[in-house]
């Protein structure tokens, strides 16, 4: 396990290098001048030139990239061009809300998807199976921003059960934090639940037709034991893959949910930084996003081995 983790850590180095190089190049080819954004279009050309020199934006791009990379290796993501705050501080302030929303959304999706997928497979071609399929189809068809607006209209504006927007830190008030997270988590987790439920159903159907399941039944094992020991566990491999992709998608796609529910999260930080041409913030945020996705892939690989002992960790070096 230690060797596997060390190899995966080494693989992150070229990945992060390519991600940082791509984002750095892309940002500098986008039309617009950060100095103009900061000072305004009416600012004198001399003032804009002086600011560009102060920020190092007049240097050749390779020099700017090497200077930024050197600071990152020392643990310094730079300062925001807009408010002069450390980028690491801005990310630390915004990341908890996004991580909390992602965890709630994924927990809700898993709690719905696994039982629904198992019931759909066990009771194939029954009312339960058809209801499971309809739920999955609706979850894949309904955009989560539209679902979020409907939830706000119904539960916040008409019934007044939950707040329509805002975010309360967990340390300030647990009850108000959970109340503020319910609607965003449902709006985001509905689609993930539908996706994972479909994977669970189809994977379990394949496993239940396998030879070892028929052998287990022939030995007289109770049906629940056959289902849990030989069915669900072996069916979890593709479900884990789908769940890992869903979590990665949640982290990168929560910006719409954060905008609808006015949550000051990580996604809104990136979007605001792009609009203001705040290059250090975008670079630092994308780098942190890449690290999180790499970490999720690593967790998924380890879960493979835990879910199916036939898979050795040493064979997973190239799966993610």
């Amino acid at each position: 396990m230690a060797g596997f983790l060390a190899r995966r850590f080494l693989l992150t180095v070229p990945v992060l290098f390519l991600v940082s190089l791509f984002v750095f190049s892309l940002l500098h080819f986008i039309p617009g001048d950060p100095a103009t954004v900061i000072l305004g279009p009416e600012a004198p050309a001399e003032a804009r030139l002086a600011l560009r020199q102060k920020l190092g934006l007049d240097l050749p791009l390779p020099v700017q990239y090497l200077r930024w990379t050197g600071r990152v290796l020392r643990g310094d993501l730079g300062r925001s061009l807009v408010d002069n705050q450390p980028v690491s501080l801005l990310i630390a302030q915004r990341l908890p809300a996004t991580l909390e929303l992602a965890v709630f959304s994924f927990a809700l999706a898993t709690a719905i998807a696994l039982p629904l997928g198992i019931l759909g497979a066990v009771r194939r071609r029954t009312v339960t199976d058809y209801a499971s399929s309809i739920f999955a189809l609706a979850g894949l068809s309904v955009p989560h921003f539209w679902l979020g607006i409907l939830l706000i209209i119904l539960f916040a504006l008409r019934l007044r059960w939950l707040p329509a927007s805002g975010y309360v830190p967990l340390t300030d008030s647990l009850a108000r934090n959970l109340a503020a997270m319910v609607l965003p988590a449902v709006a985001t987790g509905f689609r993930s639940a539908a996706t994972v439920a479909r994977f669970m159903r189809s994977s379990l159907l394949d496993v239940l037709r396998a030879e070892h399941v028929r052998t287990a039944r022939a030995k007289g094992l109770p049906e629940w034991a056959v289902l849990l020991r030989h069915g669900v566990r072996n069916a979890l491999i593709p479900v884990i893959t789908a769940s890992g992709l869903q979590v990665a998608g949640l982290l990168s796609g929560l910006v719409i949910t954060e905008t609808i529910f006015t949550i000051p999260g990580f996604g809104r930080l990136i979007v605001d930084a792009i609009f203001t041409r705040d290059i250090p913030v975008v670079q630092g945020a994308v780098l942190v996003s890449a690290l999180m996705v790499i970490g999720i892939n690593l967790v998924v690989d380890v879960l493979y081995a835990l879910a199916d002992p036939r898979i050795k960790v040493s064979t997973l070096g190239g799966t993610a």
Side-chain angles (χ1 to χ4, degrees):
M1 179 65 77
F4 166 71
L5 294 176
R7 287 196 301 273
R8 292 306 304 266
F9 176 77
L10 292 176
L11 282 175
T12 63
V13 176
V15 173
L16 290 177
F17 168 72
L18 292 175
V19 169
S20 65
L21 188 61
F22 175 75
V23 174
F24 183 87
S25 305
L26 187 65
L27 286 173
H28 284 80
F29 282 115
I30 295 176
D33 180 17
T36 304
V37 174
I38 296 171
L39 298 176
E42 304 300 328
E46 294 78 8
R48 293 200 299 268
L49 178 61
L51 181 59
R52 287 181 58 82
Q53 292 174 342
K54 178 183 177 182
L55 299 176
L57 298 176
D58 59 326
L59 298 173
L61 288 182
V63 176
Q64 292 185 45
Y65 177 75
L66 290 176
R67 290 178 62 177
W68 176 75
T69 305
R71 289 197 300 269
V72 170
L73 292 177
R74 295 193 298 271
D76 180 11
L77 295 177
R79 286 183 170 272
S80 166
L81 298 181
V82 176
D83 53 18
N84 200 34
Q85 293 288 322
V87 173
S88 55
L89 177 63
L90 294 175
I91 292 175
Q93 291 173 341
R94 299 295 192 94
L95 199 54
T98 297
L99 290 178
E100 186 183 349
L101 180 55
V103 169
F104 280 1
S105 301
F106 181 70
L108 179 68
T110 305
I112 296 173
L114 294 186
L116 205 62
I118 293 172
L119 286 174
V122 173
R123 301 180 180 178
R124 190 184 178 198
R125 295 178 181 172
T126 64
V127 175
T128 305
D129 185 23
Y130 293 139
S132 170
S133 299
I134 292 172
F135 172 85
L137 185 61
L140 295 173
S141 305
V142 176
H144 64 277
F145 69 87
W146 186 74
L147 178 61
I149 294 172
L150 286 184
L151 292 174
I152 289 174
I153 294 173
L154 178 59
F155 292 101
L157 301 182
R158 290 192 177 276
L159 300 177
R160 299 182 182 277
W161 288 354
L162 295 166
S165 62
Y167 173 73
V168 179
L170 196 63
T171 51
D172 289 357
S173 172
L174 177 62
R176 292 172 60 197
N177 174 271
L178 294 178
M181 284 288 109
V182 170
L183 294 184
V186 172
T188 309
F190 186 46
R191 186 181 185 87
S192 299
T195 303
V196 177
R198 286 176 62 88
F199 271 92
M200 187 72 230
R201 178 184 178 276
S202 60
S203 176
L204 186 56
L205 280 175
D206 291 338
V207 172
L208 292 179
R209 298 190 192 101
E211 186 67 30
H212 71 280
V213 174
R214 288 197 292 270
T215 303
R217 284 175 174 151
K219 289 180 179 179
L221 284 178
E223 186 60 29
W224 65 268
V226 173
L227 178 64
L228 295 180
R229 294 178 188 172
H230 302 281
V232 173
R233 183 170 184 175
N234 292 325
L236 283 177
I237 301 300
V239 176
I240 290 173
T241 304
S243 299
L245 294 174
Q246 290 300 311
V247 173
L250 281 176
L251 290 174
S252 60
L254 284 176
V255 59
I256 297 176
T257 304
E258 291 174 356
T259 302
I260 293 173
F261 291 94
T262 327
I263 297 174
F266 188 62
R268 286 189 62 191
L269 174 67
I270 297 177
V271 173
D272 293 343
I274 291 174
F275 279 118
T276 57
R277 296 275 297 165
D278 200 342
I279 294 174
V281 173
V282 179
Q283 289 171 337
V286 171
L287 199 63
V288 172
S289 297
L291 276 173
M292 289 192 295
V293 172
I294 291 171
I296 291 169
N297 283 331
L298 179 61
V299 172
V300 168
D301 281 350
V302 174
L303 289 177
Y304 281 155
L306 295 178
D308 190 345
R310 295 171 300 178
I311 300 176
K312 303 296 183 185
V313 172
S314 59
T315 67
L316 293 173
T319 58

